[in-house]
Amino acid sequence: MFRTLSFTSTPFIGRVQVPESMFTMARAQVIATPKIPVVFPGSTKQCISNVDLGVHGVVQRQSWPNNLSTKEGKSRIPRFDPMFIDDAYDKCTLLMTKERQKAIWAIYVWCRRTDELVDGPNADYMNSEVLERWEERLEDIFEGRPYDMLDAALSDTVFNFPLDIKPFRDMIEGMRMDTRKSRYKSFQELYLYCYYVAGTVGLMSVPVMGISPESSVPDHTIYTAALYLGIGNQLTNILRDVGEDACRGRVYLPQEELTQFGLSDKDIFSRKVTDAWRDFMKEQIVRARFFFNLAEEGASELDKDSRWPVWSSLILYRKILDAIEENDYDNLTKRAYVGRTKKLLTLPWAYSLALSKPGLTLR
């Protein structure tokens, strides 16, 4: 989970009105999403169909023409004062200047602030009403009525890129789930949670990163790969943080699968690494890597200027899984991490992959 500003700590600076005509949506080709759920290896069964998650609708609404303009040819940029927008992005991006970098950071900051509602310093005051208010505030952002400067950066991003509101709403639903659940019976339940809190980030990011003009695969394939990258990242976070989550009374591991290996919450809270635990973790790592393999199918299909950070994420998160193995599967008392030197060494590799033409995967 993220750590950042709390919702209750941000000041209200007023709303900026935007003409209704700016919300005109360009017509998009309807892209069908595969209805067959992914089947993955090991003790797991199936993940939830993208149709059930409504991903096909998101792809349809976000697959606008590359010029990002309305049918009338008018710019979708809201009429905010330029100095105000510059200040808003400065807060979000620490002086990052490229358009896509600013947009990604505006999205990231909103995600962090959303997570803070549940995991931040004011989490004790969390209730359903707070999340309802946050969702209403999200709707205002998409309608061009930001409450503060950080909201304004995202609102401007919404008008510059074809972002759909559903992934943002789904992330808020993930926060609701986090307030209600501290255990997950099956992987399907856990997969849904991972989609809400991380897969959604992939769906938010693709319209900003862009799809390569050289790509010959359907848009839904690229969006699905981005979703799977988020799933893989979240599963890796869960495996890395088992011990820390246990200290908070949380177990983000499928209870059914723990039982299959003769394990239970008691084994996690005892913090003893047994052979049964190692066998269980091996299966969990196989599954996380499986989702990263699926994510590769879209990484090289993105616009060439956006591939480097995606490939870097793929490689670095895989190395976290490697680190868990190097720790002899002890994620109960140790936190797996990738050292600075290893991180630096991955960057040239990721960059070389980013230069590759669409169609490349690491197999």
Side-chain angles (χ1 to χ4, degrees), residues 167-332:
F168 294 84
R169 284 177 174 155
D170 284 349
M171 177 169 280
I172 295 174
E173 185 60 30
M175 299 306 109
R176 290 193 179 97
M177 184 179 290
D178 230 359
T179 63
R180 298 192 301 258
K181 295 173 69 71
S182 60
R183 301 291 187 278
Y184 294 85
K185 178 181 178 181
S186 65
F187 180 68
Q188 282 212 348
E189 285 188 6
L190 183 61
Y191 178 89
L192 184 61
Y193 171 73
C194 290
Y195 162 74
Y196 280 144
V197 301
T200 51
V201 180
L203 299 183
M204 298 172 191
S205 302
V206 173
V208 174
M209 293 184 171
I211 296 174
S212 171
E214 299 177 354
S215 176
S216 60
V217 304
D219 285 4
H220 72 74
T221 299
I222 301 170
Y223 273 89
T224 299
L227 187 160
Y228 288 150
L229 177 57
I231 297 292
N233 287 351
Q234 187 63 23
L235 289 174
T236 301
N237 288 338
I238 288 170
L239 299 182
R240 179 194 62 196
D241 299 338
V242 170
E244 295 177 15
D245 288 332
C247 290
R248 301 163 54 219
R250 293 183 172 274
V251 177
Y252 292 96
L253 297 168
Q255 296 291 310
E256 291 179 348
E257 295 178 18
L258 284 169
T259 301
Q260 290 174 10
F261 285 84
L263 300 167
S264 67
D265 290 356
K266 182 179 179 181
D267 296 283
I268 295 173
F269 295 135
S270 72
R271 296 177 176 272
K272 293 182 179 179
V273 179
T274 63
D275 288 340
W277 177 257
R278 293 186 184 93
D279 291 340
F280 171 74
M281 285 307 305
K282 289 175 183 177
E283 289 251 359
Q284 303 303 308
I285 290 174
V286 165
R287 179 165 56 204
R289 284 177 173 149
F290 175 73
F291 279 102
F292 287 138
N293 290 341
L294 294 176
E296 286 180 8
E297 297 178 9
S300 291
E301 306 297 330
L302 296 172
D303 186 87
K304 60 182 178 62
D305 294 332
S306 302
R307 295 174 199 158
W308 193 10
V310 175
W311 277 114
S312 297
S313 176
L314 266 166
I315 295 172
L316 289 174
Y317 266 81
R318 276 182 167 138
K319 287 188 175 295
I320 293 174
L321 298 175
D322 294 343
I324 295 174
E325 293 174 330
E326 291 166 3
N327 288 340
D328 195 25
Y329 304 98
D330 182 3
N331 50 0
L332 298 173

Side-chain angles (χ1 to χ4, degrees), residues 319-361:
K319 287 188 175 295
I320 293 174
L321 298 175
D322 294 343
I324 295 174
E325 293 174 330
E326 291 166 3
N327 288 340
D328 195 25
Y329 304 98
D330 182 3
N331 50 0
L332 298 173
T333 65
K334 298 178 182 179
R335 179 183 174 90
Y337 70 95
V338 181
R340 179 178 177 82
T341 300
K342 287 185 178 180
K343 286 181 179 179
L344 291 175
L345 290 175
T346 65
L347 295 179
W349 182 20
Y351 185 69
S352 66
L353 292 171
L355 295 177
S356 303
K357 292 183 178 181
L360 174 70
T361 58

